Protein backbone atom coordinates (compact mmCIF):
# COMPACT_ATOMS: atom_id res chain seq x y z
CA UNK A 1 0.00 0.00 0.00
CA UNK A 2 2.85 2.40 0.68
CA UNK A 3 4.59 4.24 -2.13
CA UNK A 4 8.21 5.34 -1.69
CA UNK A 5 8.89 8.53 0.17
CA UNK A 6 8.34 11.69 -1.88
CA UNK A 7 6.95 10.07 -5.03
CA UNK A 8 3.53 11.72 -4.80
CA UNK A 9 0.63 10.85 -7.07
CA UNK A 10 0.23 10.50 -10.81
CA UNK A 11 1.24 13.45 -12.95
CA UNK A 12 -1.50 15.48 -14.61
CA UNK A 13 -1.65 18.86 -16.28
CA UNK A 14 -5.43 19.18 -16.09
CA UNK A 15 -6.62 22.14 -14.04
CA UNK A 16 -6.73 22.17 -11.03
CA UNK A 17 -3.82 19.77 -10.45
CA UNK A 18 -1.40 20.83 -7.72
CA UNK A 19 2.30 20.24 -8.22
CA UNK A 20 5.05 21.00 -5.69
CA UNK A 21 8.71 20.31 -6.45
CA UNK A 22 11.56 20.69 -3.95
CA UNK A 23 9.39 22.97 -1.82
CA UNK A 24 10.87 24.48 1.34
CA UNK A 25 9.80 27.12 3.85
CA UNK A 26 11.61 28.79 6.73
CA UNK A 27 10.45 31.23 9.40
CA UNK A 28 12.46 33.58 11.60
CA UNK A 29 11.35 33.78 15.21
CA UNK A 30 13.26 35.54 17.99
CA UNK A 31 16.42 35.53 15.91
CA UNK A 32 16.23 31.82 15.13
CA UNK A 33 15.57 30.16 11.78
CA UNK A 34 12.85 27.51 11.93
CA UNK A 35 12.71 25.06 9.03
CA UNK A 36 9.00 24.39 8.55
CA UNK A 37 9.15 22.43 5.28
CA UNK A 38 12.01 20.78 3.43
CA UNK A 39 12.17 19.25 -0.06
CA UNK A 40 8.46 18.59 -0.58
CA UNK A 41 7.60 16.82 -3.85
CA UNK A 42 3.86 16.32 -4.27
CA UNK A 43 1.42 15.97 -7.16
CA UNK A 44 -2.35 15.99 -6.77
CA UNK A 45 -4.63 14.99 -9.61
CA UNK A 46 -7.67 16.97 -10.63
CA UNK A 47 -10.69 15.71 -8.69
CA UNK A 48 -8.57 13.88 -6.14
CA UNK A 49 -9.17 14.02 -2.37
CA UNK A 50 -5.79 14.13 -0.60
CA UNK A 51 -5.26 14.43 3.14
CA UNK A 52 -2.11 15.76 4.83
CA UNK A 53 -1.38 14.24 8.22
CA UNK A 54 1.45 14.45 10.70
CA UNK A 55 2.44 15.62 14.19
CA UNK A 56 1.79 19.18 15.35
CA UNK A 57 4.29 21.61 13.90
CA UNK A 58 5.23 19.44 10.91
CA UNK A 59 4.12 22.07 8.40
CA UNK A 60 0.74 20.74 7.24
CA UNK A 61 -1.03 24.09 7.47
CA UNK A 62 2.03 25.88 6.11
CA UNK A 63 1.96 23.66 3.03
CA UNK A 64 -1.77 24.30 2.63
CA UNK A 65 -1.21 28.07 2.78
CA UNK A 66 1.57 27.86 0.20
CA UNK A 67 -0.71 25.93 -2.15
CA UNK A 68 -3.37 28.59 -1.64
CA UNK A 69 -1.01 31.46 -2.37
CA UNK A 70 -1.17 32.83 1.18
CA UNK A 71 2.54 32.17 1.81
CA UNK A 72 5.52 32.18 -0.53
CA UNK A 73 7.99 29.29 -0.41
CA UNK A 74 11.69 29.94 0.17
CA UNK A 75 12.74 27.27 -2.29
CA UNK A 76 11.32 24.97 -4.93
CA UNK A 77 8.25 25.52 -7.09
CA UNK A 78 4.50 25.29 -6.59
CA UNK A 79 1.83 25.40 -9.30
CA UNK A 80 -1.93 25.04 -9.47
CA UNK A 81 -3.09 24.05 -12.93
CA UNK A 82 0.30 25.08 -14.26
CA UNK A 83 0.06 28.60 -12.79
CA UNK A 84 1.56 30.22 -9.71
CA UNK A 85 -0.80 30.11 -6.70
CA UNK A 86 -1.20 33.90 -6.69
CA UNK A 87 -2.58 33.73 -10.23
CA UNK A 88 -4.80 30.79 -9.25
CA UNK A 89 -6.23 32.92 -6.44
CA UNK A 90 -6.97 35.76 -8.83
CA UNK A 91 -8.69 33.27 -11.12
CA UNK A 92 -10.92 32.21 -8.18
CA UNK A 93 -9.64 28.62 -8.25
CA UNK A 94 -9.68 28.25 -4.45
CA UNK A 95 -12.25 27.68 -1.78
CA UNK A 96 -11.10 27.69 1.87
CA UNK A 97 -12.66 25.90 4.84
CA UNK A 98 -10.89 26.96 8.08
CA UNK A 99 -10.82 25.33 11.51
CA UNK A 100 -13.31 27.88 12.83
CA UNK A 101 -16.37 28.64 10.67
CA UNK A 102 -15.82 32.42 11.00
CA UNK A 103 -19.44 33.26 10.28
CA UNK A 104 -20.52 36.89 10.42
CA UNK A 105 -22.61 37.18 13.61
CA UNK A 106 -24.88 39.88 12.16
CA UNK A 107 -25.82 37.75 9.11
CA UNK A 108 -28.37 34.96 8.94
CA UNK A 109 -27.50 31.51 7.59
CA UNK A 110 -28.69 32.35 4.08
CA UNK A 111 -26.78 35.64 4.08
CA UNK A 112 -23.60 34.06 5.48
CA UNK A 113 -23.72 31.49 2.67
CA UNK A 114 -24.20 34.26 0.11
CA UNK A 115 -21.36 36.49 1.32
CA UNK A 116 -18.59 34.85 -0.72
CA UNK A 117 -20.64 34.86 -3.91
CA UNK A 118 -21.21 38.57 -3.41
CA UNK A 119 -17.47 39.24 -3.61
CA UNK A 120 -16.49 36.36 -5.93
CA UNK A 121 -18.12 36.44 -9.32
CA UNK A 122 -16.39 33.33 -10.58
CA UNK A 123 -13.36 32.83 -12.76
CA UNK A 124 -11.42 30.35 -14.84
CA UNK A 125 -14.59 29.18 -16.58
CA UNK A 126 -16.65 28.52 -13.43
CA UNK A 127 -19.38 30.48 -11.70
CA UNK A 128 -20.85 30.29 -8.19
CA UNK A 129 -24.02 28.27 -7.81
CA UNK A 130 -27.31 30.03 -8.48
CA UNK A 131 -29.80 30.71 -5.61
CA UNK A 132 -31.89 27.60 -6.33
CA UNK A 133 -28.85 25.33 -6.28
CA UNK A 134 -27.69 27.02 -3.08
CA UNK A 135 -31.02 26.30 -1.39
CA UNK A 136 -30.73 22.68 -2.51
CA UNK A 137 -27.32 22.43 -0.81
CA UNK A 138 -28.68 23.98 2.38
CA UNK A 139 -31.51 21.48 2.34
CA UNK A 140 -29.05 18.65 1.72
CA UNK A 141 -27.17 19.50 4.91
CA UNK A 142 -30.35 19.90 6.96
CA UNK A 143 -30.40 23.69 7.28
CA UNK A 144 -33.69 24.49 5.53
CA UNK A 145 -35.40 25.30 8.83
CA UNK A 146 -32.54 27.58 9.91
CA UNK A 147 -32.14 29.87 6.91
CA UNK A 148 -33.02 32.96 8.95
CA UNK A 149 -31.16 31.90 12.10
CA UNK A 150 -28.05 33.73 13.31
CA UNK A 151 -24.75 31.98 14.15
CA UNK A 152 -25.26 32.25 17.92
CA UNK A 153 -28.47 30.24 17.51
CA UNK A 154 -26.63 27.31 15.89
CA UNK A 155 -24.59 24.46 17.35
CA UNK A 156 -20.92 24.09 16.43
CA UNK A 157 -21.75 21.35 13.94
CA UNK A 158 -24.45 23.45 12.30
CA UNK A 159 -22.08 26.41 12.01
CA UNK A 160 -19.55 24.19 10.26
CA UNK A 161 -22.28 23.00 7.88
CA UNK A 162 -22.87 26.62 6.95
CA UNK A 163 -19.12 27.04 6.39
CA UNK A 164 -19.01 23.98 4.11
CA UNK A 165 -22.00 25.09 2.05
CA UNK A 166 -20.57 28.61 1.80
CA UNK A 167 -17.43 27.17 0.24
CA UNK A 168 -19.17 24.65 -2.03
CA UNK A 169 -21.46 27.38 -3.35
CA UNK A 170 -18.39 29.04 -4.87
CA UNK A 171 -17.84 25.89 -6.96
CA UNK A 172 -14.10 26.58 -6.85
CA UNK A 173 -12.03 23.82 -8.51
CA UNK A 174 -9.60 23.48 -5.56
CA UNK A 175 -10.86 23.27 -1.99
CA UNK A 176 -8.37 23.73 0.84
CA UNK A 177 -9.54 22.51 4.26
CA UNK A 178 -7.51 23.12 7.41
CA UNK A 179 -8.75 20.77 10.15
CA UNK A 180 -12.36 21.91 9.69
CA UNK A 181 -13.78 19.38 12.17
CA UNK A 182 -11.14 19.58 14.92
CA UNK A 183 -13.32 21.57 17.33
CA UNK A 184 -16.30 19.19 17.09
CA UNK A 185 -17.20 16.30 19.36
CA UNK A 186 -16.53 12.80 18.04
CA UNK A 187 -20.11 12.01 17.00
CA UNK A 188 -20.62 15.33 15.21
CA UNK A 189 -17.19 15.03 13.61
CA UNK A 190 -18.07 11.65 12.12
CA UNK A 191 -21.38 13.03 10.85
CA UNK A 192 -19.59 15.97 9.22
CA UNK A 193 -17.09 13.67 7.51
CA UNK A 194 -19.86 11.76 5.75
CA UNK A 195 -21.62 15.01 4.93
CA UNK A 196 -18.42 16.28 3.32
CA UNK A 197 -18.11 13.08 1.30
CA UNK A 198 -21.69 13.51 0.12
CA UNK A 199 -21.13 17.12 -0.95
CA UNK A 200 -17.79 16.40 -2.59
CA UNK A 201 -19.25 13.45 -4.48
CA UNK A 202 -21.54 15.81 -6.40
CA UNK A 203 -18.80 18.24 -7.49
CA UNK A 204 -15.63 16.44 -8.57
CA UNK A 205 -13.52 19.23 -7.05
CA UNK A 206 -9.95 18.71 -5.89
CA UNK A 207 -9.67 18.68 -2.08
CA UNK A 208 -6.53 19.13 0.03
CA UNK A 209 -7.50 18.30 3.61
CA UNK A 210 -5.39 18.79 6.75
CA UNK A 211 -6.18 16.57 9.74
CA UNK A 212 -4.64 14.98 12.83
CA UNK A 213 -7.03 12.02 12.69
CA UNK A 214 -5.79 8.92 10.86
CA UNK A 215 -9.25 7.25 10.63
CA UNK A 216 -10.75 10.49 9.32
CA UNK A 217 -8.04 10.75 6.66
CA UNK A 218 -8.59 7.14 5.57
CA UNK A 219 -12.36 7.54 5.42
CA UNK A 220 -12.25 10.68 3.29
CA UNK A 221 -9.27 10.31 1.02
CA UNK A 222 -8.03 8.86 -2.21
CA UNK A 223 -4.49 9.32 -0.83
CA UNK A 224 -3.04 10.18 2.56
CA UNK A 225 0.31 12.00 2.66
CA UNK A 226 2.20 11.55 5.95
CA UNK A 227 4.64 14.27 7.00
CA UNK A 228 7.57 13.89 9.39
CA UNK A 229 8.17 16.16 12.33
CA UNK A 230 9.87 19.49 11.66
CA UNK A 231 11.27 20.13 9.22
CA UNK A 232 8.22 18.75 7.46
CA UNK A 233 9.08 16.19 4.80
CA UNK A 234 6.94 13.58 3.10
CA UNK A 235 7.47 10.30 4.94
CA UNK A 236 5.09 8.16 2.86
CA UNK A 237 2.01 8.25 0.67
CA UNK A 238 -0.85 5.81 1.23
CA UNK A 239 -3.21 5.02 -1.64
CA UNK A 240 -6.61 4.33 -0.07
CA UNK A 241 -8.06 1.29 -1.78
CA UNK A 242 -11.61 1.49 -0.48
CA UNK A 243 -14.66 1.65 -2.76
CA UNK A 244 -16.75 4.78 -3.17
CA UNK A 245 -19.29 5.90 -2.15
CA UNK A 246 -18.17 5.21 1.40
CA UNK A 247 -20.68 4.30 4.05
CA UNK A 248 -20.26 3.88 7.84
CA UNK A 249 -19.81 0.13 7.42
CA UNK A 250 -16.46 0.67 5.70
CA UNK A 251 -14.92 1.67 9.05
CA UNK A 252 -15.45 -1.87 10.35
CA UNK A 253 -13.65 -3.61 7.50
CA UNK A 254 -10.22 -5.21 7.65
CA UNK A 255 -9.13 -3.07 4.69
CA UNK A 256 -9.95 0.13 6.57
CA UNK A 257 -8.03 -0.96 9.67
CA UNK A 258 -5.08 -2.06 7.51
CA UNK A 259 -4.82 1.43 6.04
CA UNK A 260 -5.01 3.00 9.51
CA UNK A 261 -2.25 0.70 10.79
CA UNK A 262 -0.06 1.38 7.76
CA UNK A 263 -0.31 5.16 8.14
CA UNK A 264 0.28 4.95 11.89
CA UNK A 265 3.44 2.92 11.25
CA UNK A 266 4.68 5.50 8.71
CA UNK A 267 4.11 8.33 11.18
CA UNK A 268 5.85 6.42 13.97
CA UNK A 269 8.84 5.81 11.71
CA UNK A 270 8.90 9.49 10.86
CA UNK A 271 9.00 10.44 14.55
CA UNK A 272 11.97 8.15 15.16
CA UNK A 273 14.09 9.59 12.34
Amino acid sequence: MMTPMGTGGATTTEIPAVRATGLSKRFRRKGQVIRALEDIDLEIEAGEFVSLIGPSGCGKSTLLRIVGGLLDPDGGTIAVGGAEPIHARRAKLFGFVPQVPALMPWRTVRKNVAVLTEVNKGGAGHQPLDPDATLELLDKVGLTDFLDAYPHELSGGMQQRVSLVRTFVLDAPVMLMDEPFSALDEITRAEMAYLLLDLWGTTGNTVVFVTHSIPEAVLLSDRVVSLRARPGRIAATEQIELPRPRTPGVEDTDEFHAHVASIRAALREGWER
Side-chain angles (χ1 to χ4, degrees):
M1 286 182 287
M2 283 296 190
T3 59
M5 180 177 60
T7 59
T11 302
T12 178
T13 57
E14 179 186 356
I15 293 176
V18 175
R19 181 175 294 116
T21 305
L23 204 67
S24 66
K25 180 64 181 178
R26 291 169 172 77
F27 295 101
R28 288 189 175 274
R29 290 176 183 164
K30 298 181 179 180
Q32 294 185 332
V33 176
I34 298 174
R35 296 188 298 160
L37 294 172
E38 196 74 44
D39 198 26
I40 298 290
D41 292 332
L42 178 64
E43 293 183 357
I44 299 175
E45 297 181 15
E48 193 177 14
F49 197 122
V50 172
S51 287
L52 307 177
I53 195 166
S56 296
C58 72
K60 301 183 298 295
S61 295
T62 297
L63 178 55
L64 197 74
R65 293 187 182 104
I66 291 174
V67 171
L70 301 175
L71 286 175
D72 292 325
D74 294 317
T77 61
I78 177 72
V80 177
E84 294 181 10
I86 186 64
H87 299 305
R89 284 184 64 200
R90 290 170 181 165
K92 308 296 194 301
L93 290 187
F94 295 118
F96 291 89
V97 182
Q99 292 183 27
V100 180
L103 304 180
M104 296 181 178
W106 59 89
R107 279 184 171 247
T108 63
V109 166
R110 71 168 83 232
K111 291 184 177 179
N112 261 292
V113 167
V115 68
L116 294 183
T117 62
E118 293 170 4
V119 297
N120 290 275
K121 300 303 180 182
H126 76 279
Q127 293 293 328
L129 300 186
D130 61 39
D132 288 341
T134 298
L135 286 175
E136 287 182 15
L137 272 186
L138 286 165
D139 182 61
K140 193 178 187 70
V141 302
L143 290 173
T144 298
D145 294 335
F146 299 89
L147 297 180
D148 297 314
Y150 290 90
H152 73 272
E153 299 175 299
L154 306 176
S155 67
M158 293 172 73
Q159 289 185 33
Q160 197 57 276
R161 292 185 196 188
V162 177
S163 181
L164 280 179
V165 171
R166 181 175 59 185
T167 303
F168 273 95
V169 162
L170 285 179
D171 198 26
V174 180
M175 307 191 75
L176 307 177
M177 304 188 179
D178 191 1
E179 297 188 68
F181 308 144
S182 61
L184 303 177
D185 63 83
E186 185 176 354
I187 294 174
T188 304
R189 183 170 185 156
E191 177 187 347
M192 290 299 298
Y194 284 103
L195 178 60
L196 172 57
L197 283 175
D198 196 20
L199 292 175
W200 173 70
T202 67
T203 66
N205 297 337
T206 303
V207 176
V208 186
F209 187 93
V210 170
T211 180
H212 279 104
S213 169
I214 298 175
E216 182 175 75
V218 171
L219 174 64
L220 293 171
S221 307
D222 296 310
R223 281 191 297 142
V224 178
V225 177
S226 300
L227 298 181
R228 295 179 184 172
R230 187 185 305 133
R233 297 186 182 186
I234 295 179
T237 299
E238 178 93 357
Q239 191 75 35
I240 305 301
E241 299 170 353
L242 299 172
R244 293 189 185 275
R246 292 178 186 162
T247 59
V250 74
E251 297 178 74
D252 297 323
T253 64
D254 291 341
E255 292 81 3
F256 184 91
H257 292 296
H259 282 303
V260 170
S262 181
I263 293 168
R264 184 175 290 119
L267 290 172
R268 187 178 299 114
E269 183 179 355
W271 298 336
E272 294 170 353
R273 291 187 179 182

